PDB file of all heavy atoms in Angstrom:
ATOM      1  N   HIS V 310     -34.635  40.113  11.516  1.00 97.00           N
ATOM      2  CA  HIS V 310     -35.080  38.745  11.771  1.00 97.00           C
ATOM      3  C   HIS V 310     -35.167  38.455  13.268  1.00 97.00           C
ATOM      4  O   HIS V 310     -36.157  37.868  13.740  1.00 97.00           O
ATOM      5  CB  HIS V 310     -34.123  37.755  11.107  1.00 97.00           C
ATOM      6  CG  HIS V 310     -34.333  36.348  11.557  1.00 97.00           C
ATOM      7  ND1 HIS V 310     -35.322  35.539  11.049  1.00 97.00           N
ATOM      8  CD2 HIS V 310     -33.699  35.606  12.512  1.00 97.00           C
ATOM      9  CE1 HIS V 310     -35.279  34.368  11.652  1.00 97.00           C
ATOM     10  NE2 HIS V 310     -34.307  34.384  12.538  1.00 97.00           N
ATOM     11  N   GLN V 311     -34.142  38.860  13.999  1.00 96.00           N
ATOM     12  CA  GLN V 311     -34.118  38.578  15.440  1.00 96.00           C
ATOM     13  C   GLN V 311     -35.313  39.200  16.144  1.00 96.00           C
ATOM     14  O   GLN V 311     -35.934  38.573  17.011  1.00 96.00           O
ATOM     15  CB  GLN V 311     -32.812  39.084  16.035  1.00 96.00           C
ATOM     16  CG  GLN V 311     -31.589  38.280  15.609  1.00 96.00           C
ATOM     17  CD  GLN V 311     -30.276  38.986  15.912  1.00 96.00           C
ATOM     18  OE1 GLN V 311     -30.265  40.024  16.575  1.00 96.00           O
ATOM     19  NE2 GLN V 311     -29.180  38.439  15.408  1.00 96.00           N
ATOM     20  N   HIS V 312     -35.654  40.437  15.787  1.00 97.00           N
ATOM     21  CA  HIS V 312     -36.791  41.107  16.445  1.00 97.00           C
ATOM     22  C   HIS V 312     -38.118  40.477  16.035  1.00 97.00           C
ATOM     23  O   HIS V 312     -39.006  40.257  16.883  1.00 97.00           O
ATOM     24  CB  HIS V 312     -36.776  42.598  16.132  1.00 97.00           C
ATOM     25  CG  HIS V 312     -35.760  43.351  16.928  1.00 97.00           C
ATOM     26  ND1 HIS V 312     -35.998  43.799  18.218  1.00 97.00           N
ATOM     27  CD2 HIS V 312     -34.496  43.726  16.637  1.00 97.00           C
ATOM     28  CE1 HIS V 312     -34.924  44.412  18.684  1.00 97.00           C
ATOM     29  NE2 HIS V 312     -33.999  44.390  17.734  1.00 97.00           N
ATOM     30  N   LEU V 313     -38.283  40.172  14.752  1.00 97.00           N
ATOM     31  CA  LEU V 313     -39.535  39.562  14.312  1.00 97.00           C
ATOM     32  C   LEU V 313     -39.725  38.173  14.908  1.00 97.00           C
ATOM     33  O   LEU V 313     -40.842  37.775  15.254  1.00 97.00           O
ATOM     34  CB  LEU V 313     -39.574  39.481  12.787  1.00 97.00           C
ATOM     35  CG  LEU V 313     -40.090  40.737  12.071  1.00 97.00           C
ATOM     36  CD1 LEU V 313     -39.901  40.603  10.569  1.00 97.00           C
ATOM     37  CD2 LEU V 313     -41.560  40.971  12.396  1.00 97.00           C
ATOM     38  N   ALA V 314     -38.617  37.429  15.049  1.00 97.00           N
ATOM     39  CA  ALA V 314     -38.703  36.093  15.638  1.00 97.00           C
ATOM     40  C   ALA V 314     -39.178  36.153  17.087  1.00 97.00           C
ATOM     41  O   ALA V 314     -39.739  35.176  17.602  1.00 97.00           O
ATOM     42  CB  ALA V 314     -37.348  35.394  15.552  1.00 97.00           C
ATOM     43  N   LYS V 315     -38.947  37.291  17.747  1.00 97.00           N
ATOM     44  CA  LYS V 315     -39.399  37.476  19.132  1.00 97.00           C
ATOM     45  C   LYS V 315     -40.768  38.153  19.188  1.00 97.00           C
ATOM     46  O   LYS V 315     -41.241  38.500  20.267  1.00 97.00           O
ATOM     47  CB  LYS V 315     -38.378  38.309  19.896  1.00 97.00           C
ATOM     48  CG  LYS V 315     -37.034  37.612  20.084  1.00 97.00           C
ATOM     49  CD  LYS V 315     -36.103  38.396  20.998  1.00 97.00           C
ATOM     50  CE  LYS V 315     -35.636  39.696  20.333  1.00 97.00           C
ATOM     51  NZ  LYS V 315     -34.614  40.400  21.170  1.00 97.00           N
ATOM     52  N   GLY V 316     -41.408  38.346  18.027  1.00 98.00           N
ATOM     53  CA  GLY V 316     -42.722  38.973  17.991  1.00 98.00           C
ATOM     54  C   GLY V 316     -42.684  40.487  18.080  1.00 98.00           C
ATOM     55  O   GLY V 316     -43.713  41.118  18.361  1.00 98.00           O
ATOM     56  N   GLU V 317     -41.524  41.071  17.812  1.00 97.00           N
ATOM     57  CA  GLU V 317     -41.369  42.523  17.906  1.00 97.00           C
ATOM     58  C   GLU V 317     -41.332  43.134  16.511  1.00 97.00           C
ATOM     59  O   GLU V 317     -40.514  42.737  15.670  1.00 97.00           O
ATOM     60  CB  GLU V 317     -40.079  42.877  18.654  1.00 97.00           C
ATOM     61  CG  GLU V 317     -40.031  42.318  20.067  1.00 97.00           C
ATOM     62  CD  GLU V 317     -38.648  42.444  20.697  1.00 97.00           C
ATOM     63  OE1 GLU V 317     -37.714  42.900  20.005  1.00 97.00           O
ATOM     64  OE2 GLU V 317     -38.507  42.072  21.879  1.00 97.00           O
ATOM     65  N   TRP V 318     -42.215  44.099  16.255  1.00 97.00           N
ATOM     66  CA  TRP V 318     -42.266  44.767  14.955  1.00 97.00           C
ATOM     67  C   TRP V 318     -41.363  46.001  15.022  1.00 97.00           C
ATOM     68  O   TRP V 318     -41.767  47.073  15.429  1.00 97.00           O
ATOM     69  CB  TRP V 318     -43.703  45.154  14.629  1.00 97.00           C
ATOM     70  CG  TRP V 318     -43.872  45.753  13.262  1.00 97.00           C
ATOM     71  CD1 TRP V 318     -43.973  47.069  12.955  1.00 97.00           C
ATOM     72  CD2 TRP V 318     -43.955  45.040  12.031  1.00 97.00           C
ATOM     73  NE1 TRP V 318     -44.119  47.242  11.603  1.00 97.00           N
ATOM     74  CE2 TRP V 318     -44.104  46.006  11.000  1.00 97.00           C
ATOM     75  CE3 TRP V 318     -43.898  43.685  11.679  1.00 97.00           C
ATOM     76  CZ2 TRP V 318     -44.222  45.663   9.653  1.00 97.00           C
ATOM     77  CZ3 TRP V 318     -44.023  43.353  10.343  1.00 97.00           C
ATOM     78  CH2 TRP V 318     -44.176  44.323   9.355  1.00 97.00           C
ATOM     79  N   CYS V 319     -40.102  45.804  14.619  1.00 95.00           N
ATOM     80  CA  CYS V 319     -39.115  46.883  14.666  1.00 95.00           C
ATOM     81  C   CYS V 319     -38.511  47.068  13.278  1.00 95.00           C
ATOM     82  O   CYS V 319     -38.253  46.091  12.570  1.00 95.00           O
ATOM     83  CB  CYS V 319     -37.996  46.554  15.663  1.00 95.00           C
ATOM     84  SG  CYS V 319     -38.543  46.297  17.354  1.00 95.00           S
ATOM     85  N   ARG V 320     -38.281  48.325  12.926  1.00 96.00           N
ATOM     86  CA  ARG V 320     -37.635  48.596  11.643  1.00 96.00           C
ATOM     87  C   ARG V 320     -36.468  49.555  11.848  1.00 96.00           C
ATOM     88  O   ARG V 320     -36.529  50.468  12.677  1.00 96.00           O
ATOM     89  CB  ARG V 320     -38.621  49.204  10.645  1.00 96.00           C
ATOM     90  CG  ARG V 320     -39.775  48.288  10.291  1.00 96.00           C
ATOM     91  CD  ARG V 320     -40.483  48.719   9.018  1.00 96.00           C
ATOM     92  NE  ARG V 320     -40.995  50.083   9.118  1.00 96.00           N
ATOM     93  CZ  ARG V 320     -41.542  50.750   8.085  1.00 96.00           C
ATOM     94  NH1 ARG V 320     -41.626  50.161   6.892  1.00 96.00           N
ATOM     95  NH2 ARG V 320     -42.005  51.975   8.243  1.00 96.00           N
ATOM     96  N   ARG V 321     -35.401  49.307  11.117  1.00 96.00           N
ATOM     97  CA  ARG V 321     -34.239  50.197  11.126  1.00 96.00           C
ATOM     98  C   ARG V 321     -33.968  50.575   9.667  1.00 96.00           C
ATOM     99  O   ARG V 321     -33.790  49.695   8.825  1.00 96.00           O
ATOM    100  CB  ARG V 321     -33.035  49.474  11.743  1.00 96.00           C
ATOM    101  CG  ARG V 321     -31.767  50.296  11.786  1.00 96.00           C
ATOM    102  CD  ARG V 321     -30.618  49.476  12.387  1.00 96.00           C
ATOM    103  NE  ARG V 321     -30.688  49.412  13.836  1.00 96.00           N
ATOM    104  CZ  ARG V 321     -29.937  48.611  14.584  1.00 96.00           C
ATOM    105  NH1 ARG V 321     -29.083  47.781  14.001  1.00 96.00           N
ATOM    106  NH2 ARG V 321     -30.041  48.623  15.897  1.00 96.00           N
ATOM    107  N   ILE V 322     -33.958  51.847   9.376  1.00 97.00           N
ATOM    108  CA  ILE V 322     -33.836  52.270   7.987  1.00 97.00           C
ATOM    109  C   ILE V 322     -32.512  51.827   7.389  1.00 97.00           C
ATOM    110  O   ILE V 322     -31.460  51.893   8.033  1.00 97.00           O
ATOM    111  CB  ILE V 322     -34.008  53.805   7.858  1.00 97.00           C
ATOM    112  CG1 ILE V 322     -34.205  54.193   6.390  1.00 97.00           C
ATOM    113  CG2 ILE V 322     -32.829  54.545   8.483  1.00 97.00           C
ATOM    114  CD1 ILE V 322     -34.714  55.611   6.196  1.00 97.00           C
ATOM    115  N   GLY V 323     -32.589  51.319   6.174  1.00 97.00           N
ATOM    116  CA  GLY V 323     -31.404  50.831   5.492  1.00 97.00           C
ATOM    117  C   GLY V 323     -30.904  51.810   4.440  1.00 97.00           C
ATOM    118  O   GLY V 323     -31.398  52.938   4.323  1.00 97.00           O
ATOM    119  N   GLN V 324     -29.934  51.347   3.683  1.00 97.00           N
ATOM    120  CA  GLN V 324     -29.354  52.150   2.614  1.00 97.00           C
ATOM    121  C   GLN V 324     -29.187  51.272   1.381  1.00 97.00           C
ATOM    122  O   GLN V 324     -28.976  50.064   1.482  1.00 97.00           O
ATOM    123  CB  GLN V 324     -27.981  52.705   3.034  1.00 97.00           C
ATOM    124  CG  GLN V 324     -28.038  53.669   4.210  1.00 97.00           C
ATOM    125  CD  GLN V 324     -26.647  54.059   4.688  1.00 97.00           C
ATOM    126  OE1 GLN V 324     -25.771  53.227   4.799  1.00 97.00           O
ATOM    127  NE2 GLN V 324     -26.464  55.341   4.953  1.00 97.00           N
ATOM    128  N   GLU V 325     -29.280  51.894   0.222  1.00 98.00           N
ATOM    129  CA  GLU V 325     -29.049  51.190  -1.029  1.00 98.00           C
ATOM    130  C   GLU V 325     -27.570  51.266  -1.383  1.00 98.00           C
ATOM    131  O   GLU V 325     -26.899  52.256  -1.109  1.00 98.00           O
ATOM    132  CB  GLU V 325     -29.913  51.797  -2.141  1.00 98.00           C
ATOM    133  CG  GLU V 325     -31.409  51.642  -1.859  1.00 98.00           C
ATOM    134  CD  GLU V 325     -32.291  52.386  -2.846  1.00 98.00           C
ATOM    135  OE1 GLU V 325     -31.754  52.938  -3.848  1.00 98.00           O
ATOM    136  OE2 GLU V 325     -33.515  52.424  -2.620  1.00 98.00           O
ATOM    137  N   VAL V 326     -27.069  50.219  -2.029  1.00 98.00           N
ATOM    138  CA  VAL V 326     -25.633  50.178  -2.321  1.00 98.00           C
ATOM    139  C   VAL V 326     -25.270  50.892  -3.617  1.00 98.00           C
ATOM    140  O   VAL V 326     -24.106  51.264  -3.815  1.00 98.00           O
ATOM    141  CB  VAL V 326     -25.121  48.722  -2.378  1.00 98.00           C
ATOM    142  CG1 VAL V 326     -25.343  48.021  -1.057  1.00 98.00           C
ATOM    143  CG2 VAL V 326     -25.760  47.945  -3.527  1.00 98.00           C
ATOM    144  N   LYS V 327     -26.229  51.091  -4.504  1.00 98.00           N
ATOM    145  CA  LYS V 327     -25.912  51.729  -5.787  1.00 98.00           C
ATOM    146  C   LYS V 327     -25.301  53.107  -5.562  1.00 98.00           C
ATOM    147  O   LYS V 327     -25.828  53.923  -4.808  1.00 98.00           O
ATOM    148  CB  LYS V 327     -27.159  51.848  -6.643  1.00 98.00           C
ATOM    149  CG  LYS V 327     -26.884  52.407  -8.037  1.00 98.00           C
ATOM    150  CD  LYS V 327     -28.142  52.446  -8.888  1.00 98.00           C
ATOM    151  CE  LYS V 327     -27.836  52.999 -10.277  1.00 98.00           C
ATOM    152  NZ  LYS V 327     -29.039  53.024 -11.147  1.00 98.00           N
ATOM    153  N   GLY V 328     -24.174  53.353  -6.204  1.00 98.00           N
ATOM    154  CA  GLY V 328     -23.500  54.642  -6.100  1.00 98.00           C
ATOM    155  C   GLY V 328     -22.563  54.755  -4.923  1.00 98.00           C
ATOM    156  O   GLY V 328     -21.815  55.732  -4.833  1.00 98.00           O
ATOM    157  N   ARG V 329     -22.565  53.772  -4.030  1.00 98.00           N
ATOM    158  CA  ARG V 329     -21.655  53.814  -2.887  1.00 98.00           C
ATOM    159  C   ARG V 329     -20.301  53.213  -3.282  1.00 98.00           C
ATOM    160  O   ARG V 329     -20.195  52.472  -4.255  1.00 98.00           O
ATOM    161  CB  ARG V 329     -22.248  53.088  -1.684  1.00 98.00           C
ATOM    162  CG  ARG V 329     -23.532  53.743  -1.214  1.00 98.00           C
ATOM    163  CD  ARG V 329     -24.045  53.200   0.089  1.00 98.00           C
ATOM    164  NE  ARG V 329     -25.295  53.885   0.424  1.00 98.00           N
ATOM    165  CZ  ARG V 329     -25.370  55.056   1.037  1.00 98.00           C
ATOM    166  NH1 ARG V 329     -24.248  55.673   1.413  1.00 98.00           N
ATOM    167  NH2 ARG V 329     -26.524  55.617   1.287  1.00 98.00           N
ATOM    168  N   THR V 330     -19.280  53.533  -2.506  1.00 98.00           N
ATOM    169  CA  THR V 330     -17.916  53.116  -2.829  1.00 98.00           C
ATOM    170  C   THR V 330     -17.496  51.952  -1.947  1.00 98.00           C
ATOM    171  O   THR V 330     -17.541  52.042  -0.719  1.00 98.00           O
ATOM    172  CB  THR V 330     -16.932  54.284  -2.643  1.00 98.00           C
ATOM    173  OG1 THR V 330     -17.299  55.348  -3.528  1.00 98.00           O
ATOM    174  CG2 THR V 330     -15.508  53.846  -2.952  1.00 98.00           C
ATOM    175  N   LEU V 331     -17.087  50.876  -2.592  1.00 98.00           N
ATOM    176  CA  LEU V 331     -16.588  49.693  -1.888  1.00 98.00           C
ATOM    177  C   LEU V 331     -15.083  49.594  -2.101  1.00 98.00           C
ATOM    178  O   LEU V 331     -14.600  49.655  -3.231  1.00 98.00           O
ATOM    179  CB  LEU V 331     -17.253  48.424  -2.433  1.00 98.00           C
ATOM    180  CG  LEU V 331     -16.730  47.093  -1.876  1.00 98.00           C
ATOM    181  CD1 LEU V 331     -17.078  46.951  -0.397  1.00 98.00           C
ATOM    182  CD2 LEU V 331     -17.276  45.919  -2.679  1.00 98.00           C
ATOM    183  N   ALA V 332     -14.337  49.446  -1.016  1.00 99.00           N
ATOM    184  CA  ALA V 332     -12.905  49.162  -1.100  1.00 99.00           C
ATOM    185  C   ALA V 332     -12.708  47.659  -0.956  1.00 99.00           C
ATOM    186  O   ALA V 332     -13.153  47.060   0.027  1.00 99.00           O
ATOM    187  CB  ALA V 332     -12.135  49.901  -0.022  1.00 99.00           C
ATOM    188  N   VAL V 333     -12.054  47.055  -1.922  1.00 98.00           N
ATOM    189  CA  VAL V 333     -11.746  45.631  -1.885  1.00 98.00           C
ATOM    190  C   VAL V 333     -10.251  45.498  -1.612  1.00 98.00           C
ATOM    191  O   VAL V 333      -9.419  45.866  -2.452  1.00 98.00           O
ATOM    192  CB  VAL V 333     -12.123  44.939  -3.208  1.00 98.00           C
ATOM    193  CG1 VAL V 333     -11.706  43.470  -3.177  1.00 98.00           C
ATOM    194  CG2 VAL V 333     -13.626  45.060  -3.450  1.00 98.00           C
ATOM    195  N   VAL V 334      -9.921  44.994  -0.428  1.00 98.00           N
ATOM    196  CA  VAL V 334      -8.524  44.884  -0.010  1.00 98.00           C
ATOM    197  C   VAL V 334      -8.053  43.466  -0.283  1.00 98.00           C
ATOM    198  O   VAL V 334      -8.428  42.519   0.402  1.00 98.00           O
ATOM    199  CB  VAL V 334      -8.366  45.241   1.478  1.00 98.00           C
ATOM    200  CG1 VAL V 334      -6.901  45.145   1.892  1.00 98.00           C
ATOM    201  CG2 VAL V 334      -8.897  46.649   1.743  1.00 98.00           C
ATOM    202  N   GLY V 335      -7.235  43.335  -1.314  1.00 98.00           N
ATOM    203  CA  GLY V 335      -6.800  42.031  -1.797  1.00 98.00           C
ATOM    204  C   GLY V 335      -7.568  41.675  -3.047  1.00 98.00           C
ATOM    205  O   GLY V 335      -8.764  41.370  -2.982  1.00 98.00           O
ATOM    206  N   CYS V 336      -6.919  41.763  -4.198  1.00 98.00           N
ATOM    207  CA  CYS V 336      -7.610  41.569  -5.476  1.00 98.00           C
ATOM    208  C   CYS V 336      -7.097  40.342  -6.215  1.00 98.00           C
ATOM    209  O   CYS V 336      -6.763  40.395  -7.406  1.00 98.00           O
ATOM    210  CB  CYS V 336      -7.490  42.822  -6.339  1.00 98.00           C
ATOM    211  SG  CYS V 336      -8.350  44.247  -5.649  1.00 98.00           S
ATOM    212  N   GLY V 337      -7.018  39.234  -5.465  1.00 95.00           N
ATOM    213  CA  GLY V 337      -6.745  37.950  -6.085  1.00 95.00           C
ATOM    214  C   GLY V 337      -8.030  37.388  -6.656  1.00 95.00           C
ATOM    215  O   GLY V 337      -8.948  38.126  -7.017  1.00 95.00           O
ATOM    216  N   ALA V 338      -8.122  36.059  -6.725  1.00 95.00           N
ATOM    217  CA  ALA V 338      -9.289  35.423  -7.332  1.00 95.00           C
ATOM    218  C   ALA V 338     -10.587  35.803  -6.627  1.00 95.00           C
ATOM    219  O   ALA V 338     -11.590  36.117  -7.270  1.00 95.00           O
ATOM    220  CB  ALA V 338      -9.099  33.903  -7.336  1.00 95.00           C
ATOM    221  N   ILE V 339     -10.577  35.796  -5.285  1.00 96.00           N
ATOM    222  CA  ILE V 339     -11.788  36.139  -4.538  1.00 96.00           C
ATOM    223  C   ILE V 339     -12.101  37.617  -4.694  1.00 96.00           C
ATOM    224  O   ILE V 339     -13.245  38.008  -4.989  1.00 96.00           O
ATOM    225  CB  ILE V 339     -11.641  35.779  -3.052  1.00 96.00           C
ATOM    226  CG1 ILE V 339     -11.411  34.282  -2.881  1.00 96.00           C
ATOM    227  CG2 ILE V 339     -12.875  36.212  -2.263  1.00 96.00           C
ATOM    228  CD1 ILE V 339     -11.034  33.871  -1.466  1.00 96.00           C
ATOM    229  N   GLY V 340     -11.105  38.464  -4.487  1.00 98.00           N
ATOM    230  CA  GLY V 340     -11.328  39.897  -4.571  1.00 98.00           C
ATOM    231  C   GLY V 340     -11.872  40.326  -5.918  1.00 98.00           C
ATOM    232  O   GLY V 340     -12.763  41.182  -6.007  1.00 98.00           O
TER     233      GLY V 340
END
Side-chain angles (χ1 to χ4, degrees):
H310 168 81
Q311 290 165 8
H312 283 277
L313 274 172
K315 294 187 291 186
E317 301 169 356
W318 184 260
C319 300
R320 297 198 302 173
R321 179 181 281 170
I322 193 166
Q324 296 173 317
E325 297 173 7
V326 300
K327 184 177 180 179
R329 298 189 181 276
T330 299
L331 175 67
V333 176
V334 181
C336 294
I339 299 171

